[in-house]
Amino acid sequence: MVRECTAPVVSIVVPIYNTEDYLETCLNSIKCQTYKNIEVVLVNDGSYDDSEEICKKYLTDSRFKLCYQENSGLAKARELGFQNAKGEYICFIDSDDKLTDQYVEKLVESILKTGADIAQCAMFIWEESTQIVRYAGKPFPTLITPDQFGKQLLSLPGGEKYGPLGGFLYNKLYKRSMLKNQDFVHTTGAEDEIFLLSLIGRLRVIANISEPLYYYRRRMNRTGLSQRLGFQESCLSSRKKAIEVTTDQFKPLAYAALLNYVLIQIPPYLYGLKKPDLFLSHLLLEISEINKSPLSKLAFEYLGEARRRKLTK
């Protein structure tokens, strides 16, 4: 256990947008943390429900503070929270999720013990429709390299061996010194992955905790984003943005993630479930462009033999 007199301050940033039905559960789980030396930065991203009134109830605890912005999206809300955070360590919690009581304590202990730049934990998947909670994880290596972390967060072949579920911000604790304002890039999809790829070049060691400490609430309207018109195009654009923000050393990983996304999108066209359209043309164009890149060989290696064969086909 971290001694309270020497415990570093941990800033918990909570972006909030119209989550009145879930917010108290989230904030109560933060307030009840066994690790007490925290500040909680609540960022109201232009909510028009009762979220802000709920937040105000927690301001009687001096560790909580509230910021407001006109609705600008998740990345901007996280950035505002980061700018108003004072802690040596930072974590980001989604306002419809919740934490186990020892979430902060165990992540801090992991960083202090290993000297890692980031500590990440396994999660529970909490199905709202059925209230079924399942453990999403398995035993992992205690420490991994940035390259292994990249494979894991991008769900590339073999990446599942290296850590908890893919590229999410909210099951991680970061050294503040690792983060910069420009890491918070607003896109329509893959924002978390872009954030993590933008800082991967600064990392030396990443620590894993196989114990699930975070409850990810899977909601119908949380996953319904994929039904939006143009969402697939936006995800494709986000994958390309990830290549832009990644340092040269790790660009092959980002290229591989783009290829992997293309591979996932193409089968419905191959099997006649979708008719050829403009999006398919864009997918095929991306493959052609990557083939021209000097990094293409390394990117293909990250895909693994089975997916390379599929791409060739």
Side-chain angles (χ1 to χ4, degrees):
M1 179 178 291
V2 180
R3 293 175 58 187
E4 196 165 322
C5 60
T6 59
V9 176
V10 174
S11 297
I12 303 174
V13 175
V14 187
I16 299 160
Y17 180 68
N18 293 341
T19 50
E20 61 180 4
D21 293 337
Y22 313 100
L23 190 52
E24 288 190 68
T25 297
C26 174
L27 299 186
N28 286 338
S29 75
I30 294 173
K31 191 170 184 176
C32 294
Q33 289 296 297
T34 55
Y35 190 93
K36 302 302 181 185
N37 199 14
I38 61 174
E39 68 162 3
V40 186
V41 185
L42 308 176
V43 182
N44 181 5
D45 181 31
S47 297
Y48 52 80
D49 64 358
D50 284 336
S51 291
E52 182 159 339
E53 294 306 310
I54 293 170
C55 288
K56 289 177 180 177
K57 297 177 185 178
Y58 290 82
L59 299 184
T60 55
D61 184 329
S62 61
R63 300 175 300 172
F64 284 71
K65 61 182 177 181
L66 178 60
C67 306
Y68 178 85
Q69 67 176 19
E70 295 295 328
N71 181 239
S72 305
L74 182 58
K76 288 294 184 183
R78 286 170 171 165
E79 183 180 7
L80 180 61
F82 171 65
Q83 291 169 345
N84 283 274
K86 307 299 182 186
E88 184 179 345
Y89 298 98
I90 308 279
C91 61
F92 301 91
I93 308 301
D94 282 6
S95 60
D96 49 358
D97 295 336
K98 70 175 182 177
L99 311 176
T100 65
D101 290 352
Q102 291 186 298
Y103 171 84
V104 175
E105 180 180 345
K106 292 197 173 185
L107 287 171
V108 171
E109 284 182 345
S110 179
I111 287 182
L112 294 179
K113 183 178 179 180
T114 64
D117 301 309
I118 294 177
Q120 59 179 354
C121 65
M123 299 189 295
F124 290 110
I125 304 297
W126 180 9
E127 301 285 355
E128 183 181 43
S129 59
T130 61
Q131 291 300 300
I132 292 175
V133 175
R134 58 185 175 84
Y135 168 50
K138 59 183 180 180
F140 304 112
T142 301
L143 296 175
I144 58 174
T145 65
D147 187 73
Q148 292 168 333
F149 179 62
K151 291 179 182 177
Q152 171 249 315
L153 73 90
L154 293 168
S155 301
L156 292 172
E160 71 279 356
K161 298 183 295 185
Y162 298 125
L165 287 175
F168 303 116
L169 266 74
Y170 40 71
N171 64 331
K172 297 172 176 62
L173 181 70
Y174 308 83
K175 285 184 177 177
R176 183 189 182 87
S177 58
M178 291 294 105
L179 308 184
K180 298 180 180 179
N181 286 330
Q182 57 264 37
D183 296 332
F184 301 89
V185 178
H186 173 70
T187 63
T188 311
E191 283 179 327
D192 287 12
E193 291 176 0
I194 291 172
F195 174 90
L196 293 166
L197 282 169
S198 71
L199 63 88
I200 193 172
R202 302 171 215 145
L203 304 179
R204 297 170 297 107
V205 179
I206 298 90
N208 286 329
I209 300 174
S210 297
E211 180 182 355
L213 302 172
Y214 190 97
Y215 285 84
Y216 170 80
R217 188 195 300 263
R218 181 171 284 162
R219 300 194 278 132
M220 291 299 292
N221 59 342
R222 189 172 187 168
T223 58
L225 186 62
S226 59
Q227 305 305 315
R228 290 185 189 173
L229 184 65
F231 176 73
Q232 290 177 323
E233 287 280 8
S234 296
C235 281
L236 184 63
S237 175
S238 297
R239 290 293 185 190
K240 294 169 71 174
K241 184 67 178 178
I243 295 170
E244 290 180 31
V245 304
T246 309
T247 58
D248 290 345
Q249 180 185 358
F250 294 101
K251 279 195 190 299
L253 272 171
Y255 273 108
L258 175 57
L259 282 168
N260 199 45
Y261 178 74
V262 170
L263 282 173
I264 291 169
Q265 298 300 319
I266 283 181
Y269 297 101
L270 289 177
Y271 299 115
L273 301 177
K274 286 185 178 181
K275 295 179 180 179
D277 59 13
L278 186 59
F279 183 60
L280 175 61
S281 299
H282 290 175
L283 293 173
L284 297 176
L285 179 62
E286 290 306 323
I287 293 175
S288 175
E289 290 299 315
I290 292 172
N291 278 331
K292 297 175 186 177
S293 168
L295 299 174
S296 61
K297 185 176 179 181
L298 285 172
F300 279 104
E301 287 177 4
Y302 275 118
L303 285 179
E305 182 61 33
R307 296 191 193 188
R308 285 199 298 271
R309 286 199 304 268
K310 186 175 179 182
L311 187 60
T312 303
K313 177 182 176 183

